[in-house]
């Protein structure tokens, strides 16, 4: 057993960061998370199981048009993927942390856009080569904070900047990154028919009010039960 001794003020700060509404996760008090699926055998329940995140199909089909959901954000787990980015015409490369997300991501989480706009549902569905980048990455690549419309490479693939946001702290791992791209841009988001509901996606469901969180939870559970039947 390991015992950690934490000063009272540090203890308070740690829990504030984990649970309080802070940038860009101001809606924590009305956000539910669906992050894990478990596959078991109906014939031999309890004999074996398989755990993973959800598939993107789970997001677009089972979590579509929920009565008590204002928005459903999908975030693909890239398992520590750290591609290299570079400005077109230069040899200098920078290692980055990307997040692949859907358009509702920008509704669930309230980012401060300092230039441009987030990508849209149409961009995601069309697999557009666009990206929202942080102010820090904007400075590294372009030496200014408003490079909307400018292009850069990520592992040899050309992307266009559509928006720039205030930097995000690693204290909010659900949203932290250097750049955000349409989830359909990542081949790992393509559904594997053999996996069904399983995949590498985490879902963040935004209830219209805190009082509707339990109703939203019940609605999701009902959808899953109906699917199982």
């Amino acid at each position: 057993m390991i015992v950690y001794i934490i000063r009272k003020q540090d203890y308070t700060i740690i829990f504030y960061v984990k649970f309080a509404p802070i940038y860009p996760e101001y809606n924590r008090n009305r956000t539910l998370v669906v992050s894990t699926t478990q596959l078991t055998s109906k014939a031999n329940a309890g004999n074996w199981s398989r755990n993973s995140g959800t598939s993107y199909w789970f997001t677009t089909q089972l979590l579509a048009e929920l009565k008590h959901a204002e928005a459903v954000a999908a975030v693909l787990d890239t398992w520590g993927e750290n591609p290299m980015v570079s400005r077109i015409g230069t040899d200098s490369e920078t290692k980055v942390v990307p997040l692949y997300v859907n358009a509702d991501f920008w509704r669930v989480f309230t980012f401060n856009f300092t230039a441009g706009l987030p990508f849209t549902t149409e961009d995601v569905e069309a697999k557009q080569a666009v990206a929202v980048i942080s102010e820090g990455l904007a400075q590294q690549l372009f030496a200014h904070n408003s490079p909307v419309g400018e292009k850069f490479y990520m592992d040899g693939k050309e992307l266009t900047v559509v928006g720039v946001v205030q930097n995000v702290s690693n204290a909010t791992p659900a949203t932290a990154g250097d750049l955000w791209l349409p989830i359909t841009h990542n081949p790992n988001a393509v559904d594997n028919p053999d996996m069904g509901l399983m995949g590498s996606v985490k879902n963040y469901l935004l209830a219209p009010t805190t009082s509707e969180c339990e109703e939203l939870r019940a609605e999701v559970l009902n959808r899953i039960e109906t699917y199982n039947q």
Side-chain angles (χ1 to χ4, degrees), residues 4-205:
Y4 293 96
I5 299 175
I6 304 174
R7 293 177 300 171
K8 185 175 181 180
Q9 58 268 38
D10 293 337
Y11 182 81
T12 302
I13 290 171
I14 288 170
F15 276 87
Y16 182 87
V17 168
K18 284 185 175 292
F19 300 108
I22 59 175
Y23 174 80
E25 300 177 14
Y26 292 122
N27 296 320
R28 284 176 169 179
N29 64 336
R30 55 190 182 101
T31 301
L32 302 183
V33 184
V34 180
S35 60
T36 306
T37 56
Q38 183 180 74
L39 176 67
T40 61
S41 169
K42 283 186 177 181
N44 299 293
N47 285 356
W48 64 271
S49 66
R50 183 189 302 168
N51 299 305
S52 78
T54 80
S55 64
Y56 188 44
W57 184 91
F58 183 100
T59 308
T60 59
Q61 303 300 316
L62 257 66
L63 299 182
E65 298 181 359
L66 292 165
K67 180 181 178 182
H68 298 284
E70 188 174 299
V72 179
V75 181
L76 182 70
D77 194 332
T78 55
W79 304 102
E81 178 184 328
N82 292 116
M84 304 297 290
V85 299
S86 61
R87 185 175 180 178
I88 294 175
T90 69
D91 296 325
S92 177
E93 292 188 315
T94 301
K95 185 180 291 187
V96 293
V97 176
L99 281 188
Y100 294 89
V101 303
N102 67 349
D104 266 9
F105 177 83
W106 307 110
R107 297 175 61 195
V108 175
F109 302 108
T110 50
F111 281 75
N112 178 20
F113 275 78
T114 57
L117 296 168
F119 46 78
T120 65
T121 298
E122 291 73 22
D123 291 331
V124 174
E125 292 176 349
K127 301 182 181 180
Q128 292 292 341
V130 294
V132 172
I133 66 176
S134 69
E135 286 184 308
L137 184 58
Q139 282 289 344
Q140 288 184 58
L141 286 178
F142 306 104
H144 62 89
N145 291 337
S146 301
V148 174
E150 298 205 43
K151 300 181 185 299
F152 67 98
Y153 287 124
M154 186 177 81
D155 282 354
K157 297 179 180 179
E158 186 178 283
L159 297 169
T160 301
V161 178
V162 294
V164 180
V165 295
Q166 178 184 333
N167 293 338
V168 181
S169 167
N170 288 330
T172 55
T175 51
D178 298 306
L179 71 164
W180 298 261
L181 305 101
I183 190 170
T184 49
H185 230 310
N186 191 303
N188 292 325
V190 177
D191 295 321
N192 180 345
D194 296 329
M195 295 296 285
L197 304 186
M198 308 186 80
S200 302
V201 174
K202 290 184 179 180
N203 303 276
Y204 299 85
L205 291 72

